[in-house]
Amino acid sequence: MSKPGRLGIGIVSAGRVGAVLGYALRAAEHQVVGVHAVSEESRDRAETLLPGAPVLEIPEILRRAELVLLAVPDDQLGPLVQGLADGGHWRSGQLVVHTAGRYGVGVLEPVRAAGAVPLAIHPAMTFTGLSMDLARLSDCVFGVTADNMMLPIAQALVVEMGAEPVVVAEEDRVRYHAALAHASNHLVTIAGQAAQMLGAVGVERPDRVLAPLMRASLENALASGESALTGPVARGDTGTVAAHGEALRAEDDDVRLAYQAMARATALRAVDRGRLTRAQADGILDLLD
């Protein structure tokens, strides 16, 4: 027998996020009543993480579900919601939850117009769509946005998945999402660029060189903030920055431009925080120009 308050969950779609969150909600004893999975990869993912859940078309999922989890790419969310509204598929009292970082509940206005309840819960985590993601949820924070009266529902869903909810105002969602993209996506780019440069000088396993350095840098930055900053820019070491600039002439444009942009940002922040004098920073900025 299910616990009181357990919901029938419909998942659109079984991508990396949807399948993992569906698993977590099922672990909290909600029932997955349907999942939308078009590609072979998403069907395999649904079979692995949501065994026994019926694979259905979206209108049938909405007909069956008390809570619809929309785990689709940001740019697809608005057209999907509006199209389903135009077809009369949303139901009064239904909970409709999306996982797009960029949006709050405004994008779900067609849902509200049909009498359903819009909620936004975005996991501040990168997912692989594999079972290893499940353990990460316990250390994950979700940005949640909802109407004041409905906010406890969104928070409770996140807690049930073993994660921590943090409230993000509707008007702050884009800035919130940009911060996460900057921290996560650009970290991957920087790691790839650094590995490329090491490979070019004959280092066979760049990951072995970078892993301990990048882990230590990240841990120090999160523990101590920008007081953990080190390196030639933070020291005002113009000679080293100039040498780096010469060496980077041999690199792809994306590497050179990324180094210059991050070095510039580092110099400006170091001045603001009293780590460099204005004169030292000007010397660095002149070199970067």
Side-chain angles (χ1 to χ4, degrees):
M1 180 180 296
S2 64
K3 293 182 180 179
R6 299 303 87 181
L7 298 168
I9 308 288
I11 299 172
V12 183
S13 60
R16 294 179 180 182
V17 177
V20 171
L21 299 191
Y23 180 100
L25 289 167
R26 177 186 267 184
E29 300 187 27
H30 296 289
Q31 181 186 5
V32 177
V33 298
V35 58
H36 185 61
V38 176
S39 69
E40 182 177 350
E41 182 181 9
S42 62
R43 286 177 177 269
D44 289 345
R45 190 179 294 118
E47 184 176 340
T48 300
L49 294 178
L50 303 168
V55 177
L56 304 170
E57 294 301 317
I58 296 176
E60 179 61 17
I61 290 174
L62 268 59
R63 190 185 70 80
R64 296 186 181 196
E66 298 165 285
L67 184 153
V68 179
L69 181 68
L70 299 173
V72 298
D74 291 15
D75 286 352
Q76 295 179 19
L77 180 60
L80 174 64
V81 170
Q82 185 62 61
L84 291 169
D86 293 342
H89 296 294
W90 300 117
R91 294 189 287 111
S92 180
Q94 196 169 45
L95 298 174
V96 182
V97 184
H98 78 71
T99 62
R102 168 183 166 190
Y103 294 112
V105 293
V107 71
L108 297 179
E109 194 58 39
V111 163
R112 191 196 306 275
V117 178
L119 307 171
I121 64 168
H122 172 256
M125 178 59 64
T126 181
F127 288 95
T128 64
L130 303 175
S131 58
M132 70 177 67
D133 294 335
L134 304 173
R136 292 175 174 170
L137 284 179
S138 63
D139 193 36
C140 180
V141 172
F142 280 64
V144 301
T145 304
D147 298 345
N148 287 338
M149 291 291 291
M150 300 302 167
L151 193 56
I153 298 175
Q155 293 169 313
L157 286 170
V158 172
V159 170
E160 283 192 313
M161 289 187 283
E164 178 185 351
V166 171
V167 177
V168 180
E170 179 79 17
E171 62 271 19
D172 293 332
R173 289 289 294 207
V174 174
R175 191 174 186 182
Y176 152 83
H177 192 230
L180 299 185
H182 189 41
S184 176
N185 306 153
H186 297 167
L187 179 65
V188 175
T189 300
I190 289 171
Q193 290 174 336
Q196 175 183 317
M197 294 168 70
L198 290 174
V201 299
V203 176
E204 294 184 0
R205 286 284 309 277
D207 59 304
R208 288 284 297 118
V209 178
L210 294 173
L213 172 64
M214 294 188 73
R215 287 194 188 103
S217 297
L218 180 58
E219 290 170 2
N220 291 344
L222 295 175
S224 304
E226 289 174 284
S227 64
L229 183 63
T230 184
V233 172
R235 293 191 298 266
D237 189 347
T238 55
T240 298
V241 174
H244 287 179
E246 288 298 321
L248 287 167
R249 292 180 186 277
E251 300 294 336
D252 293 342
D253 285 349
D254 70 292
V255 176
R256 178 174 48 79
L257 293 173
Y259 178 97
Q260 290 173 341
M262 291 307 302
R264 175 178 292 279
T266 299
L268 293 174
R269 293 179 75 85
V271 171
D272 288 344
R273 287 146 183 79
R275 299 291 302 276
L276 285 180
T277 66
R278 185 72 245 185
Q280 288 175 312
D282 286 344
I284 296 289
L285 295 174
D286 286 345
L287 286 172
L288 295 171
D289 288 338

